[in-house]
Amino acid sequence: MIEQPEISVVSPVYKAEGIITELVQEIDQALSPLNIPYEIVLVDDSSPDNSWTVMKALALRRDNLKVFKLSRNFGQHPTIMAGLSKAEGRWTVVMDCDLQDKPSEIPKLYKKAQEGFDSVLAKRSQRKDGFFKKIMSKWFYKCFAFFTNIEVDKEVANFGIYNQKVIKSILSIGDALVFFPLFVKWVGFKQTSIEVEHSKRSEGKSSYSFFMLLKLAFNTIISFSDKPLRLFLNIGLITSFLSFIGAIRILIKALNGEIEILGYSSIFISICFFSGIIISVLGVIGIYLGKTFNQSKSRPLYIIDDEPVE
């Protein structure tokens, strides 16, 4: 086991039995010419295929590969956090396992980091994702920026290199909802980004369905911002003002004898407007209370089920 690796490469693994070996080989090809100690940390998010079997077999043949398996499927970002907790390098590279993030770009990120940056983010100059994923990503970051006032480049994802102090700061965050790229943005430090080459997915397809992406977007916005509460407050105030104007109009009509059934219009307007406002506001408050309840339980983000015995 390498005592003090210069670089740790962390990658969450899910349904990747056919590309894990290639991933490790490409990381070796990229980092070996640098003549620095490095380690590879792979975490299996309880894949339904034989990813864990392949990972264990590879780990038995080399000292700088650490592999772990979670007790169930916790999701990509908790799996990244599990890998970060096991990384020992002065610098940590986070990348997906599907080889869309190219290991050959790691030396470029590392070289840029040596210029005095704490985080160097990989900006995908020409994304090779499908049309649907590009559209979802675009609108997710637009909505996120609107609700949180935090601008995030949609061309930047998990891939990047991060100083040890950045990783420690991210691991210290106690949020029950995890989204790694936004944690990187939130902790700050000296950051920059460089353009990297992005590849097509070499095998299979993304495990994120439309509803999973929608859930991720919703949970992330709720976790990072209280703006939905303030937005509904503003809607409530505007609606109350419009109701007041409507009430004056009805009063004038009543005084002029233009309303045949007294009380009907005013009751109808009141019920329609205020019932909608109350239900909407209570719903949003309920969501935040639910998230607070989950946070107060302090459950672990992940549970490691298995790792090879050294």
Side-chain angles (χ1 to χ4, degrees), residues 238-294:
I238 292 171
T239 306
S240 296
F241 176 75
L242 293 175
S243 299
F244 178 73
I245 298 298
I248 292 177
R249 183 169 177 271
I250 290 172
L251 177 62
I252 293 173
K253 282 190 172 185
L255 293 176
N256 291 333
E258 298 177 13
I259 297 178
E260 297 180 359
I261 304 176
L262 296 178
Y264 173 78
S265 298
S266 58
I267 292 174
F268 180 77
I269 289 176
S270 298
I271 291 175
C272 288
F273 276 100
F274 291 104
S275 294
I277 292 173
I278 292 171
I279 292 172
S280 298
V281 172
L282 287 178
V284 175
I285 292 174
I287 291 170
Y288 276 95
L289 287 175
K291 300 302 180 185
T292 303
F293 172 67
N294 288 331

Side-chain angles (χ1 to χ4, degrees), residues 219-238:
N219 285 338
T220 303
I221 289 170
I222 292 296
S223 177
F224 274 79
S225 174
D226 64 352
K227 193 171 182 179
L229 284 175
R230 292 183 279 111
L231 182 63
F232 276 102
L233 174 61
N234 292 333
I235 292 174
L237 292 174
I238 292 171

Side-chain angles (χ1 to χ4, degrees), residues 74-142:
F74 283 88
Q76 181 187 27
H77 297 281
T79 305
I80 290 175
M81 299 295 281
L84 297 181
S85 71
K86 299 296 182 179
E88 299 178 357
R90 296 183 181 90
W91 294 91
T92 298
V93 173
V94 177
M95 61 185 302
D96 294 340
C97 71
D98 55 14
L99 292 176
Q100 287 193 274
D101 296 334
K102 300 188 67 172
S104 59
E105 299 286 357
I106 295 176
K108 187 192 299 185
L109 296 169
Y110 179 66
K111 181 180 179 181
K112 187 66 177 180
Q114 303 313 300
E115 297 179 10
F117 296 101
D118 298 310
S119 300
V120 181
L121 311 177
K123 184 173 182 178
R124 299 164 290 186
S125 56
Q126 295 181 338
R127 285 185 68 172
K128 300 297 178 64
D129 292 320
F131 176 78
F132 168 73
K133 190 171 182 179
K134 287 181 181 179
I135 292 296
M136 287 295 296
S137 177
K138 177 182 178 180
W139 283 104
F140 165 74
Y141 285 116
K142 279 184 176 293

Side-chain angles (χ1 to χ4, degrees), residues 145-163:
F146 173 76
F147 281 107
T148 65
N149 297 320
I150 299 176
E151 293 293 335
V152 180
D153 191 339
K154 65 182 178 63
E155 304 302 334
V156 173
N158 302 318
F159 193 23
I161 190 167
Y162 312 96
N163 190 278

